[in-house]
Structure formats: C-alpha cells, structure tokens
Amino acid sequence: MLKVKIGGPAGLGIMTSGLIFSKLLKRIGYHVHGYQEYPSLIRGGYNNYLIIADNNETSAPYKRYDILVALTDVALMNEKITDDMVVLVDLENTKEKALLRGKVVDLPFKKILTASGANEIAKNSIALGALVKLLNIDFGEFDKLLKENYPSEKLYKINYQTAKKGYSCVNESLSVKHSVKDSSNKLILTGNEAICLGAITAGVNFFATYPMTPASSILHFLAEQELQFNIITKHTEDEISAINMAIGASFAGARSMVATSGGGFSLMVEGLGLAAIAETPIVIVESQRPGPATGMPTWTEQADLKFVLNASQDEFVRVVLTPGDVEELFYFTFDAFNLAEKYQIPVFILSDKYLSESHFTTKSFKTDHLQIDRGLLFDGDPGKPMEFFPRYKEVENGIGMRTIPGTPGGLYKAPGNEHDEYGFVTDNAENRVIQQDRRFKKIPEIIKEIPHPALYGADDATITVVCWGSLKLQMMELLKYTNKVNFIHFPAIHPLDWSKVKALFENRNLVIVENNKTAQLRSVIAEQTGIIIEKTILKYDGRPFFVDELYEKLLGEVL
C-alpha cells in the first residue's frame, strides 16, 4: 500500500494535482482512494489531498502516510512528520527546517518557477513530476494524462516543462515495483458523480438546487450533461424555490431531484410536506456537513439522520436510503426514482461530505438489469376528457393511480391541505382517517424493496460494529487487518422490517460507530427494537474516521 499526501495553501491546484496523480496510479493498475481536506477559503488556509493506492481494493483514509509533498511551509506546520516518512520540500526556501524528519528530498520550486517563467500554481506539476520519478513510474504515462488534462497547447507546454524539471530534480527512486494491470474496466469518481450517473440512468428530467457544499458538484455535473441527456437543470435563487420547482416538475410528469446539505434542507422542509400530502414523487439528496446553521461548510459529519427521518410536521411515508459506497450511491439513486414514482413519496439519499467529494475506484456499473418503473399511470379516457379522476381513491395497498396534466379524464387537484379522493380540500373527520390510513398502507410494500442491514466479515468475530452510510468504507478497510471484528451496515434506515434487524443482532457484542455526537442510529434502533447498544465510538470533529485511528479504538478500548 502506498500513501501520499500533497499539502499547501488554497489556490495552488492541490485538488487537481491530487486527482491527476490518482488517475495515473489507477491507470497503472492500482485501486485508488483520494481524500481531500480544505477550508472554506478561496486563497490561503491549508488544503491537502491524500492518495491511497493498493493492489487490492482500498476505500478509506489513514492518519499515517508515507510521503508528504510540501508545496509551502504551511504543510510542514500542519502535518505530523515522522522518521519513517519521505518529505519533498524546497530546502532553500523553507523556514521550518526544524520540523523536518525522515528522508528529505530537495525540490527547488522557486528556482524551477523562475527558470520556466511559470506562475506559482505550476508548483503542483513540479511536485507531480517529482513523484513520478520518486515512485519509479513511466513519465510517458504521466505525459498522456497531462495532455488530457490540459487541452490548451500553451497550458500543456508549461505544465509539461515544469513537471519534467521536477522529475529531473529527484536523483533516486524508491524501491517500488508496479505490477501493471488492465484498468479499463475501472472508473475513478466521487460519490456525487456516482449519484449523477445513477440519476441519468434513471432518466432524471428535472434537477433544481441552490449550491451548497458538499452537494454543489451535483449541479456542476448535471449542468454539463443537460443537453446530451435532455435534463432541465436549474440554479435557483434559494432552496425553497428549488424544491417547489422540483415538485411542480414532478406534478407535470418529470422525474425530479433536488440536492443540498443540512442547512439548505432546512429551507426545503415546508416543500417536503407538500410533496408528501400531495403524493408527488421527489428524490432528495442530502449530503451532510457539521452544523447547526452554517457550521463547518467543507467538513464531514453524520448528524442529519434524525432530522431527515422526522422533517416536516405530522407523520407521513418517506424512504431514507443511506448508501455506503459509490456503487451503492449509483444503484440506490436509480432505485430512488423508481421508489418515489411507484409509491408516490419523497425518497432521501443521505450522503456526507466525505463520501460525496472523495475519489474512489470502482468497477464500471452494470445497467443491463435496470428497469425504469414509473408506477401506476392513468392512460386516460378520451370519451370523458373533462371528468375528474379519483387520484386519491381508497385502494387495497394505498397506491392510487397517478395522472399527468393533459391526460383526458385525468383532472384532479393536488393541494397542501387534506383532501378527498379527487383532491378537493376537506376537514371531514372520517375522510382524514381514510386518507391517512391509505397513505400508510404503502409501507409494507415499500419494505419489500428496501435494502436491509447486512453482516460483513467473519460471523464469529469478537466485536460487531453497527454503522450506517459512509462508515462502510472504513470498516471494509479495517477488515483487512483483523478477524476479531465484523460489522453490520445499514444501507437504509427507514422503513425497515425491524424483526430482521433484531435477529441479526442476536448473540453479538455490539458497538455503535457513528460520525456524530449523540449516536443517532443507536437511538433509532432502541426506539424500533428496544435494544440499547451500550458501547459507542463517536467522532464529531468534522473529519471522517481514519482506518488506523478506528482500529486502535476498537481493539484498544473495546476489546
């Protein structure tokens, strides 16, 4: 396993260079994970990109790593440098020599920039060239990536020249052997990109949002694809407009989605209630970050679970999916559109900054088996074109027929008030009970289609971690190092057959691991099953669990 970190202030293209190097390692056969940290600043602060590369699947970050590329002294000041590391640094221009440890490789950024007449941002290409030499990688493979990333001849020339000089500055390579493999069937993408691909595959027609980190890149990706895939993409004035536009588009027959973070979803809550009572399908992506209010915009947490489970007043049917990796994000997003339209409900895809913005390698997604299901749709009655349609009629499983505006004989109202079977507003007591009971009859059918918790690892392990969402990634990585731990992952949290969950928990030494302060899944489990999991490992500093950190806590504190 190889672990490389590139660090420096915002504005030096660290995220771009990290991704380029991740792609390079993927192309020569490695499985790659790229984890990025950055403050809410355009310039300054401290940014870093950690690249994990392994011959086997790899999916999560580590606190300890092998190589640090320090673009400026800010990296030396923010990282814990140890004797077993390699540090690439401009020795002539650093003021922090006292912080240096391990093997130091001089990389004269300032001299190369001056000789090349290049801007300071070209430091990242110098660094990449040096890494290529240090790790004994073919420069020709790297050059191919440069050409792809910089189609402008002028930009390519500058980056090629500076990278080549960085390459030439390194006098020796580490004893790293690369077993080059065919990587043509592997993708490298972020969680948000997986969501977008799932939505496009599902036939999304309308996407509306107001940008909010860490969900913003969903807007960027879909806006670039809207002409090719016939998607209306709206950058709205605020989140209230976004969800109301999406509800209107869904009412008109479009497959609709919104994406936001916790603060933006707070503004969408009233619209959520409208979608629920009007039984208008909608997919909502909520990518979590620390709060409340603005909180920590560019960091991660899992603290919106109970908010999403209970948002809006009163009680209504919803689905909350909690995918654990990019593959689940892709397929669950596809499924979310089918669930939303089949059952005429809001469906949530709950992600977080770590899963949404990190890069992962994965096998190409298979789509041959995927079928779009738009649910029950009224075909129309040309003989009675102006007749009102009993859209909310009492039926055995609670799922009435939808009708699209313009369908002959398909007239109905979709109000925000309680209503009768045609959508006319009424506060009749008997009707209220009929309508609420009818809506809740959908739940048993939904449960049959929801992914339930699954056990990973050796069945007889000493410790069973219970987790949800992106923590699947750290736990899969941790299983490489011990057979004393297994884990139960919740890929969805509502609705579930909780009797199956209770059976899965039997005779196990359970430990809850969550990225929040109050162990929100633990309280949901207690409410639904009566089982109170006493042991917890919680983290809520804006960072995900690092594999080595979690390993030490589980085997040191719990076992």
Side-chain angles (χ1 to χ4, degrees):
M1 181 179 286
L2 179 68
K3 301 186 283 289
V4 179
K5 181 176 282 190
I6 304 171
L12 290 186
I14 290 167
M15 304 311 162
T16 299
S17 56
L19 178 56
I20 290 173
F21 199 66
S22 297
K23 288 180 177 179
L24 176 62
L25 292 171
K26 192 271 286 188
R27 287 196 180 182
I28 62 174
Y30 286 101
H31 295 269
V32 179
H33 169 55
Y35 167 66
Q36 52 186 308
E37 293 183 343
Y38 59 96
S40 186
L41 297 169
I42 297 172
R43 290 285 186 274
Y46 179 56
N47 288 16
N48 68 79
Y49 191 106
L50 175 65
I51 303 147
I52 315 292
D54 197 6
N55 288 320
N56 300 308
E57 290 187 11
T58 187
S59 60
Y62 292 72
K63 283 192 80 71
R64 290 179 283 276
Y65 53 93
D66 307 309
I67 300 170
L68 172 64
V69 180
L71 298 184
T72 70
D73 282 354
V74 71
L76 304 178
M77 296 161 66
N78 280 274
E79 297 294 336
K80 185 177 180 181
I81 302 170
T82 57
D83 292 336
D84 57 350
M85 288 171 58
V86 177
V87 183
L88 280 68
V89 63
D90 188 340
L91 279 174
E92 184 178 339
N93 291 286
T94 182
K95 297 179 181 178
E96 303 294 339
K97 287 188 175 69
L99 298 175
L100 295 173
R101 301 282 187 280
K103 179 179 177 62
V104 178
V105 177
D106 184 22
L107 197 52
F109 289 117
K110 191 172 182 180
K111 283 183 179 178
I112 294 173
L113 292 174
T114 302
S116 305
N119 189 287
E120 189 183 19
I121 198 171
K123 277 185 175 182
N124 59 51
S125 290
I126 299 170
L128 293 182
L131 284 173
V132 167
K133 179 67 173 293
L134 185 70
L135 297 175
N136 198 26
I137 298 171
D138 178 18
F139 192 87
E141 284 296 321
F142 175 58
D143 186 33
K144 291 176 188 176
L145 266 176
L146 282 179
K147 288 175 180 174
E148 292 173 17
N149 200 68
Y150 301 107
S152 160
E153 181 63 28
K154 181 179 178 181
L155 287 176
Y156 163 71
K157 187 176 180 180
I158 292 171
N159 284 279
Y160 174 85
Q161 289 175 345
T162 51
K164 195 66 176 177
K165 288 179 180 178
Y167 182 90
S168 301
C169 283
V170 178
N171 296 320
E172 59 180 306
S173 299
L174 301 179
S175 56
V176 180
K177 293 183 179 179
H178 310 291
S179 53
V180 179
K181 302 173 186 175
D182 180 18
S183 62
S184 58
N185 68 333
K186 291 207 296 272
L187 305 171
I188 183 165
L189 75 171
T190 66
N192 281 349
E193 288 168 343
I195 290 171
C196 292
L197 293 174
I200 289 169
T201 306
V204 63
N205 306 116
F206 186 91
F207 175 73
T209 189
Y210 182 82
M212 189 172 198
T213 304
S216 301
S217 60
I218 296 175
L219 170 64
H220 306 155
F221 189 101
L222 290 178
E224 290 179 353
Q225 307 301 322
E226 63 178 353
L227 295 179
Q228 182 176 352
F229 293 101
N230 196 28
I231 306 166
I232 294 175
T233 306
K234 298 294 291 183
H235 176 164
T236 60
E237 61 267 37
D238 56 36
E239 290 86 352
I240 298 170
S241 297
I243 195 166
N244 286 325
M245 282 187 180
I247 291 168
S250 179
F251 173 80
R255 290 199 130 187
S256 297
M257 183 172 81
V258 297
T260 188
S261 190
F265 179 60
S266 297
L267 296 172
M268 292 184 175
V269 167
E270 187 176 12
L272 171 67
L274 173 60
I277 199 165
E279 295 175 71
T280 306
I282 189 169
V283 175
I284 302 168
V285 178
E286 212 267 47
S287 186
Q288 302 161 97
R289 73 190 207 191
T294 306
M296 296 166 66
T298 61
W299 300 91
T300 200
E301 209 152 283
Q302 287 185 315
D304 291 352
L305 175 59
K306 293 179 78 173
F307 176 32
V308 166
L309 285 170
N310 298 286
S312 198
Q313 73 272 35
D314 211 287
E315 303 160 305
F316 55 86
V317 180
R318 72 191 81 190
V319 166
V320 179
L321 303 173
T322 52
D325 54 37
V326 288
E327 187 172 334
E328 288 184 350
L329 280 171
F330 173 80
Y331 289 111
F332 288 10
T333 301
F334 181 90
D335 293 339
F337 282 92
N338 283 351
L339 289 166
E341 292 202 321
K342 187 173 180 179
Y343 297 102
Q344 303 156 30
I345 56 171
V347 177
F348 288 90
I349 300 163
L350 198 52
S351 183
D352 56 47
K353 187 267 178 186
Y354 163 59
L355 178 55
S356 284
E357 294 194 342
S358 296
H359 288 97
F360 306 89
T361 48
T362 186
K363 291 179 181 178
S364 298
F365 303 124
K366 295 181 179 179
T367 59
D368 292 348
H369 66 290
L370 299 178
Q371 297 290 326
I372 291 175
D373 185 350
R374 303 215 62 186
L376 298 172
L377 284 170
F378 179 53
D379 291 332
D381 184 353
K384 299 177 181 178
M386 300 306 293
E387 288 287 315
F388 268 81
F389 179 76
R391 163 80 172 83
Y392 305 110
K393 184 180 180 179
E394 165 66 3
V395 288
E396 185 178 351
N397 61 5
I399 308 165
M401 270 195 177
R402 287 196 298 143
T403 175
I404 306 302
T407 303
L411 295 174
Y412 78 100
K413 292 194 171 187
N417 295 72
E418 190 57 273
H419 44 263
D420 66 14
E421 63 184 27
Y422 297 101
F424 288 98
V425 173
T426 176
D427 56 8
N428 177 273
E430 182 181 359
N431 177 79
R432 165 63 176 178
V433 174
I434 290 171
Q435 289 295 329
Q436 189 73 327
D437 286 350
R438 178 188 61 77
R439 290 188 285 260
F440 273 80
K441 284 180 184 177
K442 301 174 186 179
I443 289 180
E445 294 299 316
I446 295 172
I447 286 174
K448 295 175 185 177
E449 299 193 43
I450 296 298
H452 274 60
L455 178 72
Y456 296 82
D459 186 61
D460 60 350
T462 308
I463 300 170
T464 297
V465 167
V466 179
C467 63
W468 61 280
S470 65
L471 271 159
K472 178 184 179 183
L473 297 163
Q474 287 92 335
M475 291 307 305
M476 290 297 291
E477 193 78 8
L478 190 143
L479 292 185
K480 294 178 180 179
Y481 304 103
T482 179
N483 58 7
K484 294 180 180 180
V485 178
N486 60 20
F487 71 99
I488 294 169
H489 177 256
F490 280 70
I493 295 178
H494 181 78
L496 294 176
D497 181 345
W498 286 94
S499 64
K500 291 182 179 179
V501 178
K502 289 182 73 172
L504 195 57
F505 283 175
E506 284 183 1
N507 303 314
R508 299 192 187 278
N509 178 19
L510 301 175
V511 182
I512 280 279
V513 176
E514 298 189 58
N515 250 147
N516 58 54
K517 167 69 175 173
T518 59
Q520 293 184 23
L521 177 59
R522 179 178 68 167
S523 65
V524 173
I525 291 168
E527 177 186 347
Q528 297 293 339
T529 68
I531 297 171
I532 299 174
I533 301 173
E534 299 289 349
K535 299 172 185 174
T536 62
I537 297 177
L538 306 174
K539 187 176 184 182
Y540 42 91
D541 61 358
R543 280 71 178 165
F545 280 96
F546 296 95
V547 178
D548 37 3
E549 166 193 41
L550 185 55
Y551 179 91
E552 290 167 3
K553 285 183 177 293
L554 279 169
L555 275 73
E557 298 177 17
V558 177
L559 192 63

